[in-house]
Amino acid sequence: MNGLMSTVREITRGAATPHGTGRRGRGAGEGSWLGALVDTVAGTLRVPFAALEVDGRIVAGTGGWPEVVTRVPLGYGVETVGALVLPQGRRDARLLDALAGQLARAVHATSVAEAAVRATHELAGAHVPGGLVAALTATARVHGHGVVEVWPLPALSPAVEAAAYRIAAEALANAGRHAPGAPVRVRVRARGAFLDVVVSDGGPGVPAGFTAGAGVHAMRGWAAVVGGSCTVRRGLPGTLVEAMLPLVPVPLVPVPVVPTPLVPTPLVPTPLVPTRRR
């Protein structure tokens, strides 16, 4: 968790980034953090072109756009976070897998940082009317399902309490949309220096290679802005959402970083296969 928050701070505060040695495509931007990683990928694979595609959009790249490309899906856990676009051709599969894994972690960290920027404004001065237990019980009742289990808790800061409530409420809403009628359980407890918030359902679970939607991005941002983390994964059965939030929030004042997109030579892109979003 500390490593993730260090990355979030680095990205959101616009810290210095490593510089690659590959030739950049038009508009890639010398200061792009992800662009530097794409440069490194191209140099390591010894290919004249490499690009990063997120949500069907090229966000960083190096070299001239070739006539024929291949897309390597980038997975983080069970989630697909984007694709590495390369010239078509054979290359070392093990090396490519290792580089794709590193790039996927970087894309995920950037996504969390961007979500934290939005969450900072949403949680500013926020409070939970009636307290966390009453609010979660009422929300579960509104969605028509859910058993709420809250263990004895110490006094919570308003920011942590608000983040915990919003994450659980969004997870309940997601369960209602994707697992209607399935049993849902909400559990909140203190574990050492952290508040553990778990929402599990008995539905079909997230499919392999799912793409996170606005709800999952928001949950991650609410967790990150107080210094915590939020994961979404397959349960036994169903879907499991777990947030680990520090009882004493870690101040994070992110500064938005606007990525500079790569503008490739005209080419009709191959659309990504639509995936289920949560």
Side-chain angles (χ1 to χ4, degrees):
M1 182 180 304
N2 291 337
L4 171 61
M5 287 312 302
S6 175
T7 306
V8 169
R9 289 172 182 277
E10 202 170 82
I11 297 170
T12 56
R13 290 179 178 176
T17 59
H19 294 284
T21 57
R23 292 179 301 135
R24 288 185 175 275
R26 291 182 291 118
E30 289 298 327
S32 170
W33 187 77
L34 288 175
L37 289 181
V38 173
D39 274 349
T40 301
V41 169
T44 304
L45 292 175
R46 297 182 180 179
V47 292
F49 164 82
L52 174 62
E53 185 177 64
V54 179
D55 290 335
R57 181 173 61 92
I58 299 297
V59 298
T62 181
W65 192 277
E67 292 185 2
V68 182
V69 299
T70 182
R71 284 169 169 77
V72 180
L74 301 178
Y76 187 87
V78 297
E79 180 185 352
T80 296
V81 298
L84 177 62
V85 186
L86 297 170
Q88 199 169 59
R90 298 181 61 182
R91 55 188 58 84
D92 188 308
R94 289 186 180 181
L95 179 59
L96 179 58
D97 285 346
L99 292 172
Q102 293 179 15
L103 194 53
R105 287 191 291 273
V107 173
H108 180 266
T110 303
S111 173
V112 171
E114 291 173 347
V117 172
R118 294 187 291 272
T120 299
H121 303 290
E122 295 170 357
L123 294 185
H127 69 285
V128 182
L132 185 59
V133 177
L136 286 178
T137 302
T139 300
R141 189 180 302 119
V142 166
H143 289 289
H145 58 231
V147 175
V148 178
E149 174 187 334
V150 180
W151 295 26
L153 300 174
L156 301 175
S157 77
V160 171
E161 188 175 54
Y165 170 70
R166 292 199 180 203
I167 291 168
E170 181 62 36
L172 281 168
N174 259 341
R177 286 191 294 267
H178 299 285
V184 182
R185 179 188 180 195
V186 181
R187 186 189 67 205
V188 182
R189 60 178 175 172
R191 296 180 62 186
F194 292 89
L195 181 68
D196 185 23
V197 181
V198 178
V199 180
S200 57
D201 67 56
V206 292
F210 89 100
T211 300
V216 172
H217 286 304
M219 290 190 289
R220 290 172 179 163
W222 293 325
V225 81
V226 296
S229 65
C230 181
T231 60
V232 180
R233 62 181 186 272
R234 286 194 292 267
L236 295 173
T239 299
L240 185 69
V241 177
E242 181 171 18
M244 292 291 286
L245 312 176
L247 295 175
V248 178
V250 179
L252 177 65
V253 184
V255 177
V257 175
V258 180
T260 306
L262 169 68
V263 182
T265 53
L267 176 69
V268 178
T270 303
L272 293 177
V273 178
T275 51
R276 181 182 178 185
R277 292 174 178 264
R278 293 179 73 93

